Amino acid sequence: MTTTLVPFEEVLEKYDPALGLEVHVELNTATKMFCGCPASFGEEPNTSVCPVCLGLPGAMPVVNGKAVESAIRIGLALNCEIAEWCRFARKNYFYPDMPKNFQTSQYDEPIAFEGFMDVEVGGETVRVEIERAHMEEDTGKSLHVGGSTGRIHGADYSLVDYNRAGIPLIEIVTKPILGTGAKAPEVARAYVQQLRNLIVALGVSEARMDQGNLRADVNLSLAPKGSGLLGTRTETKNVNSFRSVERAVRFEMSRHAGVLDAQESVLQETRHWHEDTGITTSGREKSDAEDYRYFPEPDLVPMAPAREWVEELRGTLPENPTQKRARLQAEWGFSDLEMRDTVGAGALDLVEATIAAGASPPSARKWWLSELARRANDSGIDIAGLGVTPVDVAGVQALVEAGTINDKLARQVFEGLIAGEGTPEEIVAARGLAIVSDEGALGAAVDNAIAANPDVADKIRDGKVAAAGALIGAVMKEMRGQADAGRVRELILERLS
Ligand SMILES: [Zn+2]
């Protein structure tokens, strides 16, 4: 098969892309989907297991109520209908890490369906329609030992860990996303990013892509431009970062166009994403739904969530993150750029908490985005990991506004906060950073500066007030920065007028 890649811009001259995204979210329930085993991570392999999640004959599953609650809340947050009655289904296939030889999932009766999410892309809103959000269980994990790729080919032997088998998952499936054109890669990324924000705001999952709590499969097909058809799609599995989602779409668009330009057919298959090289490679031929021989799970009763309960859960939904951002921007009076920088620096919640602790919006933004972002960047850590709290930042700003310290001294206070030297007040006291307000000491320093710079003093006496800067600098130097520059200026002008 052809693997000629068509340059991205040329793809769009001849083809329309159709996107589809399937996102698996691992819920953060205390126990597994159908048994009481802890749904925790990092345990010794095969220790969080029981007859149910090991699929031993005769073991009977029971649905985890908390997982159903999380599924309904996700559905509601995605503007879905919540089923009045639905069932689990068996999805039959064999995999060594799936001990029952079927996965308990949902098929034609999902718990949530027909929703949408409005995605912001470069100032434009794209409505992504949600086909369904259904519940299922995770499989175990195979580890292929030996060989260079970590895949089964070339491995010496394989190990299976069933700790993950039975962890509750929600799979969120979009309808085909059409009409995005050149923006398709960005739309895919923005959708996954915004979905993650929503999941985090709901508090139903850790939603860390790098840890596999949130896994995105990216479907893509191309159709002749303007034809309104849907082409044959490929499904790139487990793309594990926002950036990779965008890159994978871009790559598949170029690859599909190459195949179609050569008059060949795109093979309906799953593909593997390679983070290092930025390409996809062929996985397995994609099974059709019929191949799984779905049938209703006979060991579980159907679910019929009471309407009152659903409405009660609707009341627990957090503010939609996109709407919240718009509200905060208006409240704080930030420009689009300021807001984007704040979000981009991962400082939105920190700025919000700092303002709640009493700082003004501009000062909260200033400290987090200049001083603290720079220090985090220098030490290669996350801004939230600096060890400086929103209360600390509000405290520093309060000291600046009270005239106890100035901006320059505040930087030394932050240095102390990062070093764990105590509260802002304690650091100011311990490091002796407070501005000297003793008029006698200030006056003496001003007199010294005038005596040491007679020519500058003469200029000021002649009315060249701008020259005062040199004297202020000399005084600040003598006071080791611990003076109020405004007061120093007043004292100089008083003496030389
Ligand atoms: Zn179990």
Side-chain angles (χ1 to χ4, degrees):
M1 174 164 292
T2 306
T3 47
T4 315
L5 298 178
V6 174
F8 185 75
E9 297 71 29
E10 290 172 30
V11 174
L12 297 152
E13 289 168 12
K14 288 167 74 178
Y15 304 102
D16 290 329
L19 282 173
L21 290 143
E22 296 175 16
V23 174
H24 284 90
V25 178
E26 216 159 42
L27 298 180
N28 59 2
T29 51
T31 56
K32 292 186 179 181
M33 186 74 230
F34 302 113
C35 63
C37 290
S40 51
F41 283 94
E43 312 291 331
E44 280 289 299
N46 298 308
T47 54
S48 296
V49 292
C50 74
V52 173
C53 55
L54 285 176
L56 301 188
M60 292 296 271
V62 177
V63 176
N64 180 334
K66 187 74 188 171
V68 177
E69 179 183 304
S70 296
I72 293 174
R73 293 179 71 230
I74 290 173
L76 290 171
L78 291 170
N79 304 295
C80 288
E81 308 279 327
I82 304 301
E84 299 201 7
W85 191 93
C86 67
R87 279 186 295 193
F88 284 98
R90 290 189 180 185
K91 181 180 185 183
N92 297 283
Y93 62 103
F94 171 77
Y95 248 54
D97 54 18
M98 207 182 53
K100 294 182 293 191
N101 287 345
F102 63 84
Q103 181 185 27
T104 308
S105 181
Q106 292 193 291
Y107 179 46
D108 50 353
E109 298 163 307
I111 188 143
F113 51 92
E114 294 292 331
F116 66 86
M117 184 163 82
D118 285 331
V119 177
E120 305 291 327
V121 186
E124 196 188 314
T125 303
V126 176
R127 174 156 294 191
V128 173
E129 290 186 282
I130 307 292
E131 183 180 295
R132 65 177 196 271
H134 70 245
M135 310 179 67
E136 62 185 31
E137 58 179 341
D138 211 344
T139 60
K141 215 171 184 171
S142 298
L143 183 68
H144 305 297
V145 184
S148 56
T149 60
R151 300 192 195 283
I152 196 163
H153 301 287
D156 296 327
Y157 57 93
S158 299
L159 298 169
V160 188
D161 176 8
Y162 291 112
N163 284 353
R164 201 179 69 176
I167 301 261
L169 295 179
I170 304 296
E171 181 175 349
I172 300 158
V173 183
T174 67
K175 291 186 179 174
I177 306 164
L178 306 169
T180 55
K183 282 195 172 165
E186 291 163 77
V187 169
R189 177 195 181 131
Y191 167 77
V192 177
Q193 212 155 10
Q194 224 173 285
L195 182 58
R196 180 184 181 270
N197 290 344
L198 187 67
I199 298 293
V200 169
L202 285 165
V204 294
S205 169
E206 304 316 314
R208 289 190 53 175
M209 286 192 95
D210 57 334
Q211 309 252 315
N213 306 135
L214 191 138
R215 312 198 280 268
D217 300 341
V218 181
N219 289 320
L220 182 99
S221 64
L222 293 183
K225 200 173 176 68
S227 69
L229 301 170
L230 277 179
T232 304
R233 68 174 198 278
T234 52
E235 179 181 348
T236 304
K237 305 287 282 181
N238 295 336
V239 187
N240 64 0
S241 75
F242 300 130
R243 188 167 160 262
S244 299
V245 168
E246 181 171 340
R247 289 169 76 204
V249 171
R250 199 172 280 274
F251 177 84
E252 278 296 281
M253 283 173 72
S254 292
R255 191 185 68 81
H256 278 225
V259 172
L260 296 171
D261 277 358
Q263 310 291 322
E264 293 176 17
S265 303
V266 172
L267 190 64
Q268 184 173 328
E269 61 181 354
T270 63
R271 298 189 63 88
H272 299 296
W273 168 250
H274 300 271
E275 186 67 46
D276 45 350
T277 47
I279 65 165
T280 67
T281 56
S282 185
R284 62 184 159 84
E285 223 173 301
K286 177 74 180 170
S287 316
D288 282 325
E290 303 87 75
D291 298 337
Y292 291 120
R293 297 290 187 272
Y294 281 98
F295 65 86
E297 166 61 59
D299 287 343
L300 288 166
V301 292
M303 287 180 289
R307 293 298 96 179
E308 302 77 54
W309 185 41
V310 171
E311 287 316 306
E312 199 180 298
L313 292 177
R314 197 190 296 279
T316 70
L317 294 185
E319 187 178 10
N320 175 296
T322 309
Q323 285 161 5
K324 179 177 175 184
R325 236 168 247 188
R327 175 179 62 79
L328 290 177
Q329 184 177 355
E331 278 176 21
W332 297 346
F334 283 9
S335 69
D336 288 348
L337 182 67
E338 287 168 346
M339 198 64 187
R340 210 162 41 235
D341 286 350
T342 306
V343 173
L348 187 70
D349 293 343
L350 296 167
V351 168
E352 188 187 8
T354 304
I355 293 167
S360 67
S363 63
R365 186 175 58 83
K366 177 181 80 181
W367 293 123
W368 283 110
L369 264 66
S370 58
E371 189 63 15
L372 294 168
R374 183 180 58 75
R375 286 176 187 272
N377 204 25
D378 288 351
S379 12
I381 55 172
D382 209 45
I383 195 167
L386 273 177
V388 178
T389 67
V391 171
D392 289 336
V393 176
V396 170
Q397 179 59 23
L399 290 171
V400 171
E401 281 167 21
T404 309
I405 53 173
N406 54 29
D407 280 13
K408 214 164 174 182
L409 294 164
R411 296 199 174 92
Q412 295 185 48
V413 179
F414 283 120
E415 198 177 274
L417 285 166
I418 291 166
E421 293 172 16
T423 66
E425 288 82 359
E426 287 166 356
I427 293 164
V428 167
R431 291 193 173 203
L433 295 176
I435 285 173
V436 176
S437 49
D438 170 358
E439 289 280 315
L442 265 187
V446 168
D447 290 339
N448 289 344
I450 291 172
N453 300 279
D455 44 336
V456 179
D458 284 342
K459 281 185 190 166
I460 298 169
R461 282 194 193 92
D462 291 346
K464 291 183 182 131
V465 179
L471 291 186
I472 295 170
V475 173
M476 293 301 279
K477 194 171 172 196
E478 187 177 334
M479 303 297 297
R480 292 184 301 127
Q482 290 170 247
D484 173 354
R487 181 63 191 140
V488 171
R489 183 186 165 84
E490 278 171 20
L491 290 174
I492 290 167
L493 295 181
E494 263 171 44
R495 280 167 167 70
L496 299 177
S497 59

